Each structure stands twice: as C-alpha cells, then as structure tokens.
Amino acid sequence: MKTSSNLWEYRLQSEDSGHKYLSILLHKFHFSAKLLQRLKQGERVWVNGQFTYLTARGKEGDLLSIQLVSDEEANLQGEDLPLDILYEDDYLLAVNKPVGQVVHPNRRYPEHTLANAVTGHWERKGENRLYRPIHRIDRNTSGVVVIAKNQFAHQQLAWQLERGHIHKRYLGFVEGVVPEDEGTIDDPIGFAPNSFIKRQIHPDGMTARTHFRVLRRYSCATFLEFILETGRTHQIRVHCEGFGHPLIGDDLYSGTKTLLDRHALHSSMYAFLHPSSGLPMVIRAPFPEDLRLLVIKLRDFVATTQE
C-alpha cells in the first residue's frame, strides 16, 4: 500500500483476484459505505492508470488507486489561537489541549475552542478541512486530542476506536491512599437524575471498564495510571468517585479543590495504527505545569506531616 497527500494506492495480491474492488475496500481496508458512496461521485477510482467502477473485479498485480478528497468547506470559524501541535501529516493532527478549552463549540462555549484553533491553523496553511476529532476530553482535562484531516482518516480511526484497537492512557491524582497496586473498575454508567451533565454508576447504564495502576502513593493522595477499555463521558471521574477515591479538584464528583482548581486528569498517550500506512503510532503529551506543581504540594504535605 502506498499513499501521498491525496492518493491511496494498493497492488492487489493473489487472494484479491476475482473480488470486486468495492469488496476489497470494504472488507480488507474497512472503507465505510459512506466514503465508498462518495468515491462513486466523479472519476476517483483507477486501476493501472485507467478509470474503473468499484463493481469491477480485480486480479493479482492490479494497481488500485483512490483519489481522496482533501479540500472541503470548513464547518467552523477559524481563530488565531495558540495550538500545541504534537504531530501533523496529511491525514492527522494531534495536539496537546490545554486546561480550560473545550474540544468543540457548544451553547456555553461558542468560540475560543480547540475546533476554532485547529480550523484557524489550517486556514493559515491554505487548507480547507472539516474539523473531525476522533475523541473528546473534558474542558478541564489536559492532553492528547487526535483530529482526522479527511473523511478517509476519520472513518479508519473510528473503525479502530469502535473495536478497541486504540489505546488511551490517562494520568490522574485521586484523594486518599488506594491500597490495591492495580485493578479494574467494571461499573456501567448512566445519567445522574435531573442533570444533562453529571453521570453516575447505574445498573442500567452503558458498559464502562477502566483499568488502573498505582504509580505513587502520598500521605493523602495516590498517583494513578488509567487505561480505558471503553470511552464513556466522564468515565474516569465517575469510576474514581464510585470506588471512594475522587479525582483531586473534581468538585462535580465529590472531590475538593484545596490542592488544585481543576480535576487532576491528563490524557498522556494515544496509540493506534496510522490510517494510511497502517504503521503503529504513539502520541504523547508532556505532563502539564499545574500537575507538576501539585506533585510538589503533595511532597511538601508529606514532609510537613512527618515533622
């Protein structure tokens, strides 16, 4: 398989002979039905340099070429805002989102969002693209957010996400000392009563599974690594409250803001297969300054209590 900025190419193998190009793209490379439908509009599919229909059947050695759509009408107003770029190519943009910024505009935060910053970045590069985040993190969670730069990249990563092939790692500080070195919280999550924002553990909720590992214990807190097997809204925050150790600073879920004025959670790593090359990708975001200062406070607290 070979790719450039807008061209996807694959040379058919022996097992592909006799199969329709449509079937190869759908079942072998997980092209979505929506993307395949779009490819039918205009001469976007070639075999050995000649236009072909997706319903045609291939043979070993055929060079299948797909013209991917890159320029699209932007769906948001771009803004000239700071953007901490961790990685970018023709298919992906990965950024380190700061605390206090929402991923997508909403009624409460209609502007100055990550979406506005990313759109403005692309506009300055002369690129017209739709904003397609692969996942979202809360306004006061810092760290990695991955954005697809075209429809193909988005549906490829969405396919990986749905099947649990994307690995997300979070770092967080919870109140109290967690006795277990590691464990799994397997409690379903649903809406809390009379709230469109807050969630709670509920037997009729959606399946939610969080793996945790203790990285360090302090006298009044624990530093944890979280690996998400599912991606429910507020999942880590709800699960931490549920097992009696709310995130430091998370007053929505029983935490206190004595040491930190936001919930102490950082999206530190996002691992997946590149949608074009299929090669493993690992995106990491550095530890934010406010959590570094929190570590100092926790160390000082230990020293104070020991004196």
Side-chain angles (χ1 to χ4, degrees), residues 70-79 103-105 110 113-116 118-120 122-123 127-133 136 147-149 154:
S70 59
D71 286 348
E72 302 172 289
E73 188 69 28
N75 55 349
L76 292 165
Q77 180 65 45
E79 297 181 40
V103 172
H104 203 282
T113 70
L114 182 62
N116 300 117
V118 168
T119 302
W122 287 335
E123 288 175 349
E127 299 178 7
N128 297 315
R129 299 185 184 275
L130 293 179
Y131 177 71
R132 294 183 172 100
R136 299 189 186 195
I147 301 109
K149 295 183 68 172
H154 183 264

Side-chain angles (χ1 to χ4, degrees), residues 26 28 34 41 48 105 123 126 142 148 151 166 180 185 196 213 267-268:
L26 182 64
K28 191 167 188 174
K34 184 176 180 180
Q41 302 169 4
N48 304 323
E123 288 175 349
S142 55
Q151 185 182 7
I166 291 179
E180 304 90 348
I185 306 171
F196 292 106
R213 181 169 65 94
S267 172
S268 67

Side-chain angles (χ1 to χ4, degrees), residues 174 178 180 185 201 212 224 226 238-246:
V174 300
V178 177
E180 304 90 348
I185 306 171
I201 292 173
F212 69 87
L224 294 173
F226 300 100
V238 174
H239 276 170
C240 284
E241 179 189 45
F243 87 131
H245 296 279

Side-chain angles (χ1 to χ4, degrees), residues 128-240:
N128 297 315
R129 299 185 184 275
L130 293 179
Y131 177 71
R132 294 183 172 100
I134 303 304
H135 64 121
R136 299 189 186 195
I137 58 178
D138 295 334
R139 180 174 68 91
N140 283 327
T141 300
S142 55
V144 179
V145 175
V146 177
I147 301 109
K149 295 183 68 172
N150 55 49
Q151 185 182 7
F152 170 74
H154 183 264
Q155 68 92 43
Q156 288 285 306
L157 289 174
W159 185 88
Q160 292 184 46
L161 188 63
E162 289 170 2
R163 286 154 181 81
H165 297 166
I166 291 179
H167 301 283
K168 295 174 283 185
R169 176 179 186 258
Y170 290 78
L171 300 175
F173 295 84
V174 300
E175 297 182 359
V177 179
V178 177
E180 304 90 348
D181 289 337
E182 59 184 26
T184 298
I185 306 171
D186 190 358
D187 293 318
I189 292 175
F191 279 99
N194 305 316
S195 177
F196 292 106
I197 298 175
K198 191 174 182 180
R199 268 64 170 179
Q200 67 176 13
I201 292 173
H202 193 283
D204 296 327
M206 299 182 72
T207 299
R209 191 170 295 110
T210 304
H211 306 285
F212 69 87
R213 181 169 65 94
V214 172
L215 300 179
R216 182 166 182 179
R217 294 182 178 93
Y218 299 89
S219 62
C220 63
T222 308
F223 181 31
L224 294 173
E225 173 192 64
F226 300 100
I227 302 293
L228 296 186
E229 194 171 320
T230 54
R232 309 305 177 201
T233 299
H234 297 179
Q235 178 172 319
I236 293 174
R237 301 168 66 185
V238 174
H239 276 170
C240 284

